[in-house]
Amino acid sequence: MTDSHRRSGENPEPEHQQPYGDEAWQRARDDAERDAQAYSAAYPPPPAYEPAQPVAAGAAGGAGTAAWPPPPPHRKRAKRPVAMLAAVALTAAAIGGGTGALVQNLAKSDPGVGTGVTGSNVAQSSKGTVAGVAQAVSPSIVEISATSSAGDSTGSGVIITADGEIITNNHVVAGASTIKVKLSDGKTYTAKVVGTDADKDLALIKLEGASGLKTASLGSSDRVKVGDEVVAIGSPEGLTGTVTSGIVSALDRDVTVAKDQDQGQGQPDQQGRGGQGDGSGQWPFEFGGKQFNGETGSSKTTYKALQTDASLNPGNSGGALINMNGEIIGINSAMYAPSGATGSTSGSVGLGFAIPIDTVKADLAKLRAA
């Protein structure tokens, strides 16, 4: 057997390889991560849903090129839901406050909301109530005490100018030598007659030295309807500022009243108080050819009146009949009492009459010029 000898340099033994060190291994991992990131940026992952079918672009019914619809907009998820809810709540509060302010502004600017008229505004919260009307209009209603050769009488009046012009009935002040007027706050003035119209049973007086008074609003009696609610304010039997309420019972009643001052002014009654009419504290008038509450005498006048069931009594003469917006629609002028009734039985039975305010407004120029 022969031996085989290997020449030097043939089939060399592999060299022993050095193992990776920690530093080389970290560099290799960093390089791999960079390559992965570059690949992800160049080739984004496919969507999680199936892509929509291509939409044909072109005329309806005709061939067109296929076009893929645009991808849906990317929406970010809120990172702080609590903060967003708080912001929504604040926004809602701001919108609610703005809406409230807008409603208030609209209410203020709405001409149909009860803004009333100068001097007799009815508060919005009390609009349409007797209490609201009474509170608004009472400062414009006065008590009138007139002294004449026939005696003393008590009536009422309505302030129509801030310097003290007052509308009342002619029979309240006819022939008076002195006139005293008491306001709702108790302040007293002396008054002079400016002008009278016996045919319409109206008079205009003026306070001396008055200013800044609260005036009433003169409405329109042409718009009054049967069944409308009304309020009456006056001073029956010297009870200043008495308020009653009712409805309009009828329109255009032909009421006849006395023009003569001796009939228009009553003699004092047993209690020393003056009255209108026949001395019993009642108002004589005629209706339908019949006389009520005493004789009207030969000197008389007839006018169209509003009829109301609001309670009227002696002393309400010249006072106000008011609608629920606080506007004067009539001047109270007569009432019916049972025949022969005296004292406590002579009060109102729900048949009262008032001069329409349109008649008053048409007569003002004449009264001022008298």
Side-chain angles (χ1 to χ4, degrees):
M1 212 181 146
T2 58
D3 293 332
S4 92
H5 295 277
R6 188 172 52 185
R7 294 179 182 176
S8 175
E10 287 186 16
N11 300 325
E13 291 291 334
E15 295 181 1
H16 181 72
Q17 296 180 351
Q18 299 261 339
Y20 269 104
D22 291 343
E23 182 176 349
W25 182 86
Q26 182 65 40
R27 283 199 303 271
R29 193 176 78 165
D30 292 342
D31 292 340
E33 287 182 355
R34 281 196 297 272
D35 292 340
Q37 291 175 358
Y39 182 86
S40 298
Y43 302 95
Y49 53 86
E50 288 296 327
Q53 293 299 318
V55 179
T65 60
W68 292 96
H74 180 65
R75 297 184 179 179
K76 295 182 179 179
R77 180 178 299 176
K79 295 181 179 180
R80 297 182 181 179
V82 175
M84 178 173 289
L85 290 176
V88 171
L90 289 174
T91 303
I95 293 175
T99 304
L102 177 61
V103 170
Q104 290 179 356
N105 289 336
L106 288 176
K108 291 179 182 178
S109 62
D110 184 359
V113 177
T115 56
V117 188
T118 302
S120 60
N121 294 342
V122 177
Q124 180 64 27
S125 59
S126 301
K127 182 177 172 60
T129 68
V130 174
V133 172
Q135 182 178 17
V137 184
S138 289
S140 301
I141 310 302
V142 302
E143 178 184 310
I144 300 174
S145 300
T147 301
S148 71
S149 58
D152 298 329
S153 67
T154 301
S156 305
V158 179
I159 301 173
I160 61 172
T161 65
D163 61 351
E165 281 190 343
I166 295 173
I167 282 288
T168 187
N169 286 140
N170 176 65
H171 72 254
V172 172
V173 297
S177 56
T178 60
I179 301 172
K180 296 291 184 181
V181 174
K182 184 165 70 172
L183 306 186
S184 63
D185 61 4
K187 187 177 295 185
T188 301
Y189 290 88
T190 298
K192 298 291 185 182
V193 175
V194 176
T196 61
D197 187 343
D199 290 334
K200 294 183 173 65
D201 196 18
L202 290 173
L204 181 68
I205 65 175
K206 176 79 178 294
L207 304 184
E208 296 180 345
S211 64
L213 303 183
K214 187 171 183 180
T215 61
S217 163
L218 305 186
S220 174
S221 49
D222 185 55
R223 302 176 184 174
V224 175
K225 300 184 295 294
V226 173
D228 283 352
E229 293 182 274
V230 290
V231 174
I233 305 179
S235 300
E237 302 296 346
L239 300 174
T240 306
T242 296
V243 178
T244 58
S245 64
I247 63 168
V248 174
S249 304
L251 307 174
D252 299 325
R253 292 296 200 198
D254 287 319
V255 175
T256 300
V257 297
K259 290 172 60 176
D260 186 272
Q261 68 182 56
D262 291 333
Q263 291 292 336
Q265 293 293 123
Q267 299 297 324
D269 60 20
Q270 294 180 353
Q271 284 76 34
R273 294 174 301 205
Q276 288 76 31
D278 61 358
S280 63
Q282 301 171 7
W283 305 330
F285 72 96
E286 295 179 14
F287 178 76
K290 296 180 180 180
Q291 293 184 336
F292 300 93
N293 305 341
E295 304 231 354
T296 56
S298 57
S299 180
K300 51 194 175 186
T301 185
T302 300
Y303 55 81
K304 299 287 186 182
L306 302 175
Q307 182 181 329
T308 179
D309 69 349
S311 181
L312 302 179
N313 291 283
N316 276 112
S317 274
L321 191 67
I322 312 156
N323 66 19
M324 302 310 288
N325 290 324
E327 300 169 330
I328 312 299
I329 59 170
I331 299 298
N332 299 320
S333 58
M335 51 81 70
Y336 168 76
S339 179
T342 59
S344 61
T345 64
S346 64
S348 171
V349 294
L351 293 174
F353 304 92
I355 302 168
I357 201 63
D358 287 352
T359 300
V360 177
K361 291 191 291 187
D363 207 35
L364 272 177
K366 177 181 177 181
L367 293 173
R368 286 171 173 151

